[in-house]
Amino acid sequence: MIELYHLYKYYEDVPALEDINLKIEKGDMVIITGPSGAGKTTLLKLIFMEEKPTRGQILFMGQNISNIKKNEVHLYRRQMGFVFQDFRLIEELSVYENLSLAMEVLWYSKKYTDMKIRSVLQEVGLLHKIYVPVKKLSGGEQQRVAIARSIINSPPLLLADEPTGNLDPYLAEEIMKLFKTLNYRGTTVIIATHDVGLLKYARYIVKLERGRIVS
Amino acid sequence: MKRGFIGKISLMLNKAFKMDSKESFFFFSSTFTIFLVSGLILGFKWFYEGLSLKEDFISSYRMVGILEEDLSEEDLKRILTEVQQVEGVKSVTHLKKEEVTNFVSEFIDLGKMKRFVPDVIEIYIDEKWIENIEKIKMIEEKIKKVGGIEFLDSAKENVESTIRFIKYVKRGGRFFIMMLSIGGILIIYNFIHLTIYSIHKKIEIMKFVGASPEFIKIPLIIRGIAAGILGSSSSCIFMKSVLHSEVFLKEFLYLLLYSVFAGGFGSYLALRSKKV
């Protein structure tokens, strides 16, 4: 599904990633781990096309996206979901409104959006909070809303950057179980985390150190 | 499953007009400023377009010819006929010494000088000839050739300076309106700029969930245009209802067209500069 060939990323002259070669198959659950500053987030950002690689190739479903045009990035992003450590939700809006945003950008009808939101909230166990403003939810609930948003359009790939970083160990386990369930259903999941306690959920572990894959 | 054309438009309108308190403040403050700018544009346009050489300055324009002493009735008739025949002359009137004296004495104490006041003729010029100084000179030359007129005062210098003054006022007016029009665009630019700044997090999230650039830009452009239309329309309504000014459909449409352009262009520039 994702192939990285000789991928380099420099911030000015400082290397963030060097010679990354990685192949992630459809249906994999990969955890990218390593200490702070190892390049985990940068790697996810490159896959998500939030940043462009300095050198190297990224193939997504066989298509080279390293030099994708700026006005085509959104088309690529629609094929994946992204979960952030800080949730990236609009706090003033309700759970429903936050999720409907992800459906609106694809021009889905109101009726279909409504149906999908209810089904995805059922999946993450938050249907009873559908009209509650996000700011009134706990951290774990907010993260589940973020996950619901990232999977609402059933993307084949799910990326998560430190998704449990702001959660207590119990909630972290809950969130990881949710990722595992999604993975069982066929979604490819790539998670970046420095929490070694979560590695048990991975099918493959990629260890990064100083911008290089070490194992 | 997907929205149709109407559904897409209604979603864009919904996105454009669903504002939080900060966005609403930006919207209404810029609408009010556009209201003021439009009012100034309308007011100044009326002022300088209303300035008319014919109506305000030259409605009382006439040449004055001082006649020679002791002219016979025949000579007088001949002079009046010949002057009347000069192209561009609308009418000629003869004023006798007594009439001139009465007229002049309203302004100056003539005392013993009364006997020196001459007979004069007042020559009214066709309106369409007045605004061209060259034509006035031509008429002057022709009238000077008529025998029996000792001196002709065409006041062409006054006409010339008045024409120049009106030209400068109009030119200045156009420049002022142009500046105000650019100001209107900048107001919208600033408004959208501030809006983008206040909703940058929302925009970022929209990008993450796969929103196309158009999906983000169109509602903001609609908002800019709406502020322009609302500001300029309310200005026209205000002028008409409160100040009882004559707002014509043509001016209203021009202003509407301008506000659509200013709104669209200002928003476009803001979106471009913010790289949305």
Side-chain angles (χ1 to χ4, degrees):
Chain A
M1 173 167 261
I2 293 242
E3 293 161 71
L4 312 176
Y5 294 109
H6 306 292
L7 204 64
Y8 288 80
K9 178 67 187 176
Y10 288 91
Y11 291 107
E12 291 176 355
D13 284 337
V14 183
L17 287 174
E18 286 185 298
D19 199 24
I20 301 292
N21 291 286
L22 192 63
K23 199 170 180 181
I24 297 167
E25 296 293 345
K26 194 172 182 287
D28 274 351
M29 175 128 176
V30 179
I31 290 186
I32 301 165
T33 188
S36 293
K40 307 184 290 293
T41 301
T42 307
L43 186 57
L44 287 192
K45 279 183 177 175
L46 291 181
I47 295 172
F48 193 59
M49 271 294 123
E50 200 182 333
E51 286 182 22
K52 283 197 166 188
T54 311
R55 220 175 331 143
Q57 273 194 339
I58 304 172
L59 300 185
F60 178 72
M61 292 177 166
Q63 195 190 345
N64 185 3
I65 53 139
S66 324
N67 297 314
I68 195 166
K69 284 180 194 159
K70 203 184 162 192
N71 59 358
E72 287 173 354
V73 171
H74 67 281
L75 298 173
Y76 166 69
R77 281 187 183 162
R78 285 174 185 178
Q79 299 179 67
M80 57 183 76
F82 204 116
V83 181
F84 302 89
Q85 182 179 0
D86 58 356
F87 321 132
R88 304 258 178 118
L89 296 167
I90 304 165
E91 290 185 349
E92 301 75 38
L93 301 184
S94 68
V95 172
Y96 182 93
E97 288 166 319
N98 266 282
L99 296 184
S100 70
L101 193 64
M103 297 294 283
E104 283 168 355
V105 300
L106 297 177
W107 302 112
Y108 282 119
S109 68
K110 220 173 166 194
K111 202 174 163 188
Y112 182 70
T113 301
D114 197 64
M115 188 197 83
K116 278 291 272 184
I117 289 173
R118 284 172 194 282
S119 122
V120 85
L121 282 178
Q122 180 87 53
E123 210 170 323
V124 298
L126 278 178
L127 188 55
H128 60 293
K129 302 259 172 131
I130 185 165
Y131 297 118
V132 175
V134 162
K135 61 183 169 197
K136 289 191 176 169
L137 299 179
S138 68
E141 286 171 331
Q142 287 193 26
Q143 193 58 299
R144 277 192 280 164
V145 175
I147 293 170
R149 185 184 61 193
S150 67
I151 60 169
I152 197 162
N153 290 318
S154 316
L157 176 65
L158 186 61
L159 305 170
D161 185 19
E162 302 282 6
T164 59
N166 281 341
L167 307 177
D168 62 44
Y170 173 74
L171 283 174
E173 292 287 330
E174 287 294 306
I175 294 296
M176 288 308 288
K177 279 178 193 164
L178 195 55
F179 282 127
K180 197 76 194 161
T181 312
L182 293 169
N183 180 242
Y184 279 137
R185 289 185 198 161
T187 309
T188 309
V189 181
I190 305 174
I191 300 169
T193 180
H194 64 273
D195 187 350
V196 288
L198 303 177
L199 299 183
K200 61 186 177 206
Y201 292 97
R203 193 179 290 171
Y204 297 108
I205 298 165
V206 176
K207 197 171 178 195
L208 281 176
E209 256 176 45
R210 291 180 192 170
R212 287 178 177 272
I213 295 177
V214 290
S215 67
Chain B
M1 208 161 73
K2 294 246 178 173
R3 284 170 190 261
F5 182 67
I6 302 289
K8 283 180 182 175
I9 288 178
S10 80
L11 179 64
M12 287 292 100
L13 289 173
N14 181 273
K15 291 261 162 235
F17 296 112
K18 199 174 173 188
M19 298 177 242
D20 62 23
S21 55
K22 213 187 255 181
E23 289 172 76
S24 304
F25 173 74
F26 293 148
F27 179 78
F28 286 110
S29 56
S30 61
T31 301
F32 181 67
T33 324
I34 293 290
F35 165 80
L36 294 177
V37 167
S38 304
L40 279 172
I41 290 177
L42 273 180
F44 211 78
K45 191 170 174 286
W46 284 326
F47 169 70
Y48 90 70
E49 282 195 346
L51 270 183
S52 164
L53 189 69
K54 272 183 263 178
E55 286 165 21
D56 298 325
F57 295 95
I58 313 184
S59 59
S60 58
Y61 173 75
R62 58 199 183 267
M63 292 182 184
V64 176
I66 296 173
L67 301 178
E68 286 171 2
E69 278 290 315
D70 305 323
L71 288 171
S72 64
E73 280 298 312
E74 286 75 34
D75 282 337
L76 203 61
K77 267 185 189 168
R78 176 187 53 79
I79 292 169
L80 290 175
T81 315
E82 282 182 27
V83 172
Q84 183 67 68
Q85 281 168 351
V86 172
E87 199 185 356
V89 171
K90 197 158 80 177
S91 62
V92 193
T93 326
H94 172 229
L95 293 176
K96 289 178 183 166
K97 283 178 190 179
E98 296 74 31
E99 289 172 284
V100 179
T101 310
N102 286 340
F103 177 75
V104 177
S105 61
E106 283 178 29
F107 307 101
I108 309 162
D109 181 16
L110 292 172
K112 290 175 184 174
M113 298 289 286
K114 280 181 187 176
R115 61 196 165 97
F116 291 113
V117 176
D119 271 25
V120 299
I121 49 167
E122 282 186 328
I123 305 149
Y124 291 88
I125 308 298
D126 204 312
E127 282 175 357
K128 62 185 175 195
W129 287 68
I130 297 173
E131 289 190 58
N132 190 330
I133 198 71
E134 292 307 316
K135 285 185 176 173
I136 288 179
K137 280 180 190 168
M138 213 167 74
I139 295 170
E140 187 188 17
E141 288 307 313
K142 283 181 183 171
I143 294 173
K144 272 182 179 172
K145 283 177 189 164
V146 175
I149 298 174
E150 195 178 295
F151 176 75
L152 182 71
D153 182 10
S154 68
K156 62 176 184 292
E157 295 79 16
N158 294 348
V159 176
E160 218 165 358
S161 59
T162 308
I163 288 173
R164 209 179 306 127
F165 169 73
I166 289 178
K167 200 166 81 181
Y168 288 144
V169 168
K170 288 196 172 185
R171 201 177 282 174
R174 282 193 200 103
F175 177 74
F176 188 61
I177 285 178
M178 206 171 78
M179 287 295 116
L180 283 173
S181 307
I182 293 170
I185 294 171
L186 292 177
I187 289 162
I188 300 285
Y189 168 86
N190 194 41
F191 152 52
I192 298 297
H193 219 266
L194 288 169
T195 305
I196 294 169
Y197 184 74
S198 81
I199 60 164
H200 72 279
K201 194 182 161 194
K202 199 171 170 183
I203 290 174
E204 210 53 42
I205 290 169
M206 283 162 91
K207 281 182 182 175
F208 278 129
V209 295
S212 64
E214 293 72 32
F215 188 91
I216 301 166
K217 285 175 187 173
I218 289 171
L220 290 170
I221 292 175
I222 291 174
R223 205 180 280 187
I225 291 172
I229 291 175
L230 201 65
S232 60
S233 312
S234 48
S235 187
C236 283
I237 293 165
F238 179 80
M239 290 275 197
K240 179 98 181 158
S241 59
V242 181
L243 301 178
H244 305 293
S245 301
E246 286 182 16
V247 180
F248 299 107
L249 186 67
K250 195 179 110 187
E251 284 157 334
F252 177 69
L253 288 176
Y254 270 137
L255 211 55
L256 207 65
L257 215 69
Y258 159 72
S259 58
V260 169
F261 170 75
F265 190 58
S267 317
Y268 167 77
L269 287 180
L271 288 162
R272 225 178 122 89
S273 74
K274 276 280 184 187
K275 291 182 178 160
V276 173

